[in-house]
Amino acid sequence: MLRYSIWVIILLSGVAWAETQRGTKSVNLVFVANINDTIAPDNLDVKAIIRGEQGNWSNGDPILLVLPGREAEIYEQVSHGVFGESGMMMQKRWLKLVFSGRGNPPRYADSEKEMIDFVLNTPGSATVIRAQHHKDYAPLLVKAI
């Protein structure tokens, strides 16, 4: 009975590990922001913004960040690409920042389209998407990560 239990645990551990690796294939990500002329795009620390280490634009306005939610196809890809950890850990990190008062709460979206629509329609907002899915968003700042 003990031997059977150990094999079940090993099998389930392997399945759980494989599930966490699903969707974490490395992709090229871009930072997309709807900023005005008072913000210098060359001075942006994109990773600091995404990680919540920078909550305001250079002109003092708050950054309205939208991140992929659990249902988004790029949820794990963004979390691994920016944070080097799972999506669940990314959300825990953000909860800790928000509840400690050190970060503006991000919005979460279920798709890249929803993320882009939010940024297109919301001045002062930013997001991260796959490079191959960004089109020519002329009014938006697009920077590689």
Side-chain angles (χ1 to χ4, degrees):
M1 186 66 167
L2 180 60
R3 183 187 295 182
Y4 176 73
S5 297
I6 291 172
W7 280 109
V8 169
I9 291 170
I10 291 171
L11 176 65
L12 291 176
S13 297
V15 169
W17 179 84
E19 189 64 23
T20 63
Q21 300 306 306
R22 182 179 57 102
T24 60
K25 183 178 84 173
S26 180
V27 296
N28 291 329
L29 300 171
V30 292
F31 175 81
V32 181
N34 184 343
I35 58 174
N36 60 34
D37 295 340
T38 63
I39 300 168
D42 295 336
N43 297 333
L44 293 178
D45 184 347
V46 172
K47 286 198 175 186
I49 292 170
I50 300 164
R51 291 179 181 153
E53 297 163 359
Q54 179 181 338
N56 295 319
W57 297 109
S58 59
N59 66 0
D61 290 344
I63 297 170
L64 305 171
L65 186 63
V66 60
L67 293 171
R70 290 182 185 169
E71 299 300 317
E73 186 178 334
I74 63 167
Y75 176 69
E76 291 293 338
Q77 294 166 338
V78 169
S79 61
H80 282 279
V82 177
F83 295 90
E85 56 194 16
S86 73
M88 184 181 356
M89 293 306 296
M90 172 181 69
Q91 286 188 328
K92 281 184 176 182
R93 181 182 299 266
W94 267 100
L95 282 172
K96 187 175 179 181
L97 279 171
V98 170
F99 286 115
S100 69
R102 296 179 300 160
N104 302 328
R107 296 176 187 262
Y108 291 96
D110 291 334
S111 70
E112 284 175 284
K113 180 183 178 342
E114 192 178 325
M115 294 161 67
I116 284 297
D117 287 346
F118 179 82
V119 173
L120 280 170
N121 297 308
T122 311
S125 62
T127 193
V128 179
I129 60 171
R130 290 178 284 194
Q132 70 263 29
H133 289 292
H134 90 281
K135 296 180 177 102
D136 185 21
Y137 298 116
L140 301 177
L141 167 74
V142 177
K143 288 186 88 169
I145 296 179

